Each structure stands twice: as structure tokens, then as C-alpha cells.
Amino acid sequence: MTDAPDGTLFATARDPANRADPYPLYARLRAHPVARQDDGTWVASGHAAIRALLHDPRVSSEDLPPAEHPPTGNPVKDWIVNPLKDWITDRHRPFIFRDPPDHGTLRRQVMGQFTIARVRGMKRRTESLVAECLDRCAGRRTFDLVDDLAYPLPVTVICDLLGVPREDEPRFHAWATQLATALEPESRHDEELRARNTETFDAIAAYMRDLIREKRRAPADDLLSGLATAKDGQAGRMSDPDLVATAILLLIAGHETTVNLITNGMLTLLRHPAEFARLRADPERAPRVIEELLRYEPPVHFRTRLTRAPIPVAGTVIPEGAPLVLLFAAGNRDPARFPHPDRFDPDREDNQHFGFGGALHYCVGAPLARIEAEAALTALAARLSAPRLAEDPPPYRPGASLRGPKRLLLHIDGIG
Ligand code: HEM
């Protein structure tokens, strides 16, 4: 650690030109496990530093800019309706963007509905959805993993879990596509994108309010009915704006992440044909393969935070009020934590990766995501005959945080 940190490295790593392989740049960042970048952002890239910061109560998740509808020219909307909506939105942020004590209350209510039985109940349904997607492609010699399977699957699964009527599902597919950009920190600086996301958010919120009313009138055995009717011992019933924010969070947080795990997973397996063959021969290896994928090619490369006080860490001090990036994907390949970190090795022991984050904000949907990835990857291994990558590297979507291929074209001899 003799040289001064290069304050442009993180910007270079986010450059779309480096999307296919940002890992060498992450390795250079790790030379200073916590370093200030030229734009004032602090980046944590070492495993130990990320872990310490995830557990530090001085690190806040409340780093979203205030909600702001763009002007419409209609005075009633611009001065009354939309400012009121923004005020409500700001007070009812989804809990991924909240700190204790609110975060704990909302998360506890959600976890109370994300029961093992409910999630396990999705396994069979997920397997049959995967089978349906593959059946639809029978007779084909090319297969786009993104469009044909990975993209539609998680939205359908979340709609089922929430209890969205099947006929309304196509609207969720369109909303999920638009809102996937909302978790990208870069989108905060893009006025046009923010305006489109606000419009989409309003549309889902209106839909959700009606659906919640319906669930309260006639509760069913689904997650939204449970959330809408259950009373938390301390907090009582979840408010409608928090319910709407939570339902939208589940849709956004559980969609593109899962798409990326399936797509990055297949890409990695086809780049490691011996591992692909082993999975095909022994589907029981799937959980190991998936844990290693979450380390080696994680769907979420980084998340942002804000410091509430000066924080001494890794030989430096992050000042109060600093924007902070937890670069999970760099921590996952830290040689100080993982032997041969650039090797894809599903037999690796002690694989404590940051694929699902950590500490207070550890992913609520992790068990569901594992079920979906396992259903998809084992079915692909079993049913695709002689899959070959049509392009390597594939083209990537713009996101640097939620990073994954835009399409993954495979040549196949058939689908069994
Ligand atoms: C492979 C798929 C997935 C990956 C890689 C993933 C990854 C993550 C990560 C890294 C975080 C931590 C965020 C932070 O620290 O700021 C997180 C949080 C979260 N995830 Fe996931 N996720 C996946 C699937 C899902 C699914 C399927 C759902 C729900 C249906 C979900 C719901 C959530 C929620 C609600 C949070 C916020 C938890 C909190 O703030 O307490 N995720 N996820």
C-alpha cells in the first residue's frame, strides 16, 4: 500500500467498456481496501472492510435523494397532488433504504410472511414454470436464455407469491423492466429515467392500493394478504403506503437479480464445461454451484450507503456525510479471504460471499432466489442438448451494479 490510490478506478470499472470483465480493475481497487475517489465517493473493496462497514451502525442506508415528480404544467398536479405523493413516498421509503428502528419493524413484518413453508411451496411451481418455458422452445436450434427463460421466470414467481391475479401479470412484466433501473445508483442523475420511473411507480402504486383493498376484503393464502391483514405485536398493522412500497420493493429486488444469477450462471458453466457436465450428471451439486456463482459472478456488484459519523477503517478514516460504495463483487474475490479467488470452484469450503449482502440488510429473498436458480440451472443442464455460447462475451445491459447480459444466445442441438 505504498502508492496513493487512483481516484478514477471505480469510474473506470463502471464504464460500459469494462462491463464484461471488471475484475482486474476491482483487483487494483483492492490495493487500497477503502479509498476515496475523485468524485468524493468512498469505495470499500476489501472483504474485511466491507464486512466491518456492513455491521457498523454509523453506516446508513438512507441515501436516496428526495422524491420529486417532474413538472407537468397542470397547476393542481404540480402544487397539490404530486407534492403530496412525494411527501408520502419520502416517509414510506422501501425498507432497503431505511435504518433502524423503522427498518427492523418493516423487515420483521415481511419476514413473518416469507415463511419457509410459503417459499418451499414455490419450488414445485417454479420447476413447472421452467419446464413450460423450455417446452415452448422445443424444436429450436438457438435459444436466448434471457428472453426465453431467465427474464419471465422471476416476475411470474413474485406475482404468484404476492397473489397477483394471473391476468394482471403482463403488466408486472412491463413494470419490472422499467423499474429495474431504479436500483441503479446512476439512474439518480438521469432526469428522464427518473421521470419514467416515477410514472411507473405511480401506476404500480395505484394498482397495489386496489389489490390490497381486495386482499383485506377477501384474504387468500398469499404474501400480500398476509401482510395486509397481520398485526405485528409492537407495530400493529402495516400502513398502506408501507405495504405499497414493500410490494414494489419485492418486485424490483427480486427480478433482475434473479435474471442475472441464472444468466451469469449459465454463462459461467458454459465457460467451465467440466463443471457443466458434473452438474448434468449430478443435479445434487446445484446448491454448491449456486453458492460459488454468487461469489464468483454475483448479480449485485455493489450497493451504496452514507456515513453518519467519521469511520476509521482499513487504515483510513471515512469522513461523516460521505457517499460510500460497498463493492461486494471485489470483496468476493479478495485473496486475503478466498484462496485462488479468480478460480470458479464449486467445491470451495467456507464460502462466505457477499452475493446476498450481509448483516441487517441481508437479502430477504435469498431462499427463493436459490430455488429459482436451482430449478433453472438443473433443467438447462438436463434438457439442452450440446449448448454452445453463440457470442462470448455476450452484450451486457447498462447497469454496473445489477450487472448481467442483455441476451445470452446459445446454439443447441435440441431441447429434450
Ligand atoms: C439472485 C437473486 C438475488 C440476489 C443476488 C439478491 C441480492 C441482494 C442483496 C445484495 C441485498 C442487500 C442490499 C443492501 O445491503 O443494500 C438484497 C436485499 C434484499 N433483497 Fe435480494 N437478491 C436476490 C433476490 C431477491 C428476491 C427473489 C427477493 C424477493 C422476492 C429479494 C428481496 C430483497 C429485499 C426485500 C432486500 C432488502 C432487505 C433489507 O433491506 O433488509 N431479493 N438482495
Side-chain angles (χ1 to χ4, degrees):
M1 249 214 265
T2 44
D3 300 338
D6 176 347
T8 63
L9 271 179
F10 186 54
T12 312
R14 290 194 329 272
D15 186 326
N18 292 313
R19 194 69 77 247
D21 187 13
Y23 297 104
L25 288 154
Y26 293 169
R28 287 175 58 197
L29 272 158
R30 269 194 316 265
H32 298 268
V34 175
R36 186 182 180 280
Q37 298 296 292
D38 290 350
D39 66 359
T41 304
W42 288 71
V43 177
S45 55
H47 191 280
I50 294 172
R51 217 182 110 73
L53 291 165
L54 273 172
H55 286 88
D56 195 314
R58 295 166 293 186
V59 172
S60 167
S61 287
E62 299 192 353
D63 74 329
L64 269 190
E68 196 184 333
H69 275 79
T72 64
N74 173 336
V76 179
K77 276 195 175 165
D78 289 348
W79 295 341
I80 301 170
V81 178
N82 288 345
L84 183 66
K85 279 188 187 165
D86 291 338
W87 185 82
I88 294 173
T89 304
D90 280 334
R91 265 146 201 80
H92 299 274
R93 293 289 194 195
F95 64 93
I96 196 168
F97 294 115
R98 287 168 80 167
D99 291 339
D102 296 356
H103 169 264
T105 308
L106 292 164
R107 184 178 165 110
R108 189 174 61 238
Q109 287 169 297
V110 171
M111 291 305 280
Q113 297 303 320
F114 240 92
T115 56
I116 297 176
R118 191 167 272 149
V119 174
R120 281 216 189 113
M122 292 304 296
K123 188 167 160 43
R124 184 113 6 113
R125 168 84 177 126
T126 305
E127 285 164 357
S128 58
L129 285 169
V130 170
E132 278 168 30
C133 288
L134 292 179
D135 291 347
R136 268 199 294 275
C137 301
R140 297 244 300 264
R141 289 305 177 113
T142 48
F143 178 79
D144 176 5
L145 181 58
V146 177
D147 269 5
D148 292 327
L149 173 68
Y151 215 79
L153 179 70
V155 186
T156 306
V157 169
I158 294 165
C159 286
D160 266 25
L161 189 77
L162 287 173
V164 171
R166 198 119 322 147
E167 64 273 16
D168 294 342
E169 220 190 275
R171 296 156 80 179
F172 271 75
H173 285 260
W175 288 333
T177 305
Q178 175 59 39
L179 284 187
T181 58
L183 279 183
E184 269 318 318
E186 313 267 326
S187 73
R188 295 175 192 174
H189 313 294
D190 183 329
E191 290 304 322
E192 205 187 309
L193 199 55
R194 276 188 72 181
R196 255 184 290 137
N197 282 340
T198 304
E199 207 176 287
T200 310
F201 182 88
D202 284 352
I204 311 187
Y207 173 89
M208 280 296 177
R209 277 191 290 272
D210 287 347
L211 188 59
I212 290 162
R213 208 171 302 129
E214 184 54 29
K215 298 285 178 194
R216 288 219 173 99
R217 200 185 58 75
D221 182 21
D222 54 56
L223 198 137
L224 199 58
S225 295
L227 274 182
T229 54
K231 278 201 181 127
D232 180 85
Q234 292 159 38
R237 210 160 75 171
M238 195 185 274
S239 71
D240 278 17
D242 278 331
L243 261 171
V244 169
T246 301
I248 297 175
L249 170 63
L250 293 176
L251 174 69
I252 304 180
H255 181 233
E256 205 160 301
T257 47
T258 311
V259 178
N260 289 347
L261 181 56
I262 296 170
T263 316
N264 293 339
M266 191 62 179
L267 175 63
T268 304
L269 285 166
L270 291 178
R271 284 173 174 169
H272 297 84
E275 284 302 335
F276 189 62
R278 289 177 80 187
L279 178 64
R280 182 194 291 254
D282 178 11
E284 301 285 308
R285 280 182 64 74
R288 286 195 154 274
V289 168
I290 288 163
E291 284 325 290
E292 177 65 344
L293 286 170
L294 284 158
R295 183 194 71 83
Y296 181 82
E297 278 285 18
V300 179
H301 273 221
F302 58 88
R303 294 282 302 144
T304 59
R305 300 288 198 269
L306 195 65
T307 54
R308 294 283 187 220
I311 303 180
V313 59
T316 184
V317 179
I318 312 176
E320 179 179 348
L324 171 65
V325 169
L326 303 178
L327 189 45
F328 295 144
N332 280 354
R333 294 208 187 193
D334 187 341
R337 178 61 182 79
F338 300 102
H340 308 293
D342 293 323
R343 190 184 290 167
F344 176 64
D345 175 12
D347 290 318
R348 184 181 291 282
E349 296 300 333
D350 188 23
N351 195 353
Q352 297 289 312
H353 56 73
F354 295 123
F356 289 123
L360 285 190
H361 291 274
Y362 183 82
C363 179
V364 161
L368 182 62
R370 288 185 171 111
I371 285 176
E372 291 182 64
E374 184 167 336
L377 293 176
T378 52
L380 288 165
R383 294 187 58 185
L384 295 191
S385 170
R388 283 98 60 199
L389 291 169
E391 42 192 353
D392 189 7
Y396 279 77
R397 277 194 307 275
S401 170
L402 269 59
R403 168 185 169 274
K406 182 159 67 182
R407 66 168 182 263
L408 191 69
L409 271 188
L410 308 180
H411 294 309
I412 48 175
D413 288 353
I415 297 184

